[in-house]
Amino acid sequence: MNRYFRLNSAVLMILGLLILVGCEDAATVEVDQKDEFRPLIVRKDGQYIEYYPGHQQIKMKGREDANGNRTGIWKLYSPQGVELSVTVYTKGKKDGHIVVRYPNGIPNYVGEYLMDERIGEWRFYAETGELIETINYDQSTKESGATN
């Protein structure tokens, strides 16, 4: 009986140590992952990606030219992943269509730029999606001398 008791005690002690060591490794791995530094802005091969803190969601992404200027399509996202805006750039200037949305995804305004100047017809919407105003920047600039 005494020998049986010593054998069970030894087995229990070994199991306890294995469980303790196993738990300690899991806790260490979790801490290591939390302590890993990851930058919020990543630039690689002309691609620009900016994350919200925590790296759970992309905040903004697009391409940069060799001089670091925005080029092509750039997108901005909410922390929930809703696409808030799409803007086209050339050599760092807004140059093409732009769509800006409310956080609910409905367009706020839609228009077009030519080298950072508003051109053509721009449409402005209420948060419900109802069209509330249309401005033709080609005509308003010619008629009133208005600028951006």
Side-chain angles (χ1 to χ4, degrees):
M1 177 94 170
N2 205 7
R3 194 163 127 203
Y4 177 73
F5 179 72
R6 276 187 267 155
L7 181 61
N8 281 340
S9 295
V11 169
L12 287 174
M13 189 181 305
I14 291 171
L15 281 173
L17 284 172
L18 287 174
I19 290 171
L20 183 62
V21 169
C23 290
E24 186 176 320
D25 287 345
T28 302
V29 169
E30 188 175 322
V31 169
D32 289 345
Q33 289 174 348
K34 286 182 181 177
D35 289 343
E36 179 184 335
F37 174 76
R38 297 189 320 178
L40 295 179
I41 297 174
V42 178
R43 288 181 163 104
K44 185 176 180 183
D45 300 325
Q47 182 72 31
Y48 175 101
I49 299 175
E50 183 175 343
Y51 293 90
Y52 282 100
H55 275 259
Q56 299 299 312
Q57 176 59 46
I58 291 176
K59 182 176 185 178
M60 182 184 307
K61 69 179 181 177
R63 302 214 40 91
E64 294 179 319
D65 63 18
N67 296 320
N69 295 315
R70 293 180 180 189
T71 189
I73 297 172
W74 278 69
K75 295 183 178 186
L76 174 69
Y77 300 91
S78 74
Q80 296 74 32
V82 175
E83 188 179 85
L84 295 177
S85 72
V86 178
T87 308
V88 179
Y89 287 86
T90 301
K91 296 181 182 177
K93 296 183 184 264
K94 295 173 190 164
D95 190 40
H97 293 284
I98 182 170
V99 177
V100 176
R101 293 181 177 85
Y102 291 104
N104 64 8
I106 291 178
N108 181 343
Y109 60 88
V110 177
E112 188 174 356
Y113 280 96
L114 178 63
M115 300 308 284
D116 272 349
E117 296 289 326
R118 292 179 180 183
I119 62 169
E121 184 177 279
W122 283 56
R123 295 181 309 277
F124 299 86
Y125 300 89
E127 205 164 346
T128 59
E130 175 188 352
L131 180 64
I132 54 176
E133 185 176 16
T134 300
I135 299 175
N136 189 323
Y137 282 93
D138 294 337
Q139 292 174 357
S140 66
T141 300
K142 290 176 187 171
E143 292 173 7
S144 66
T147 62
N148 299 347

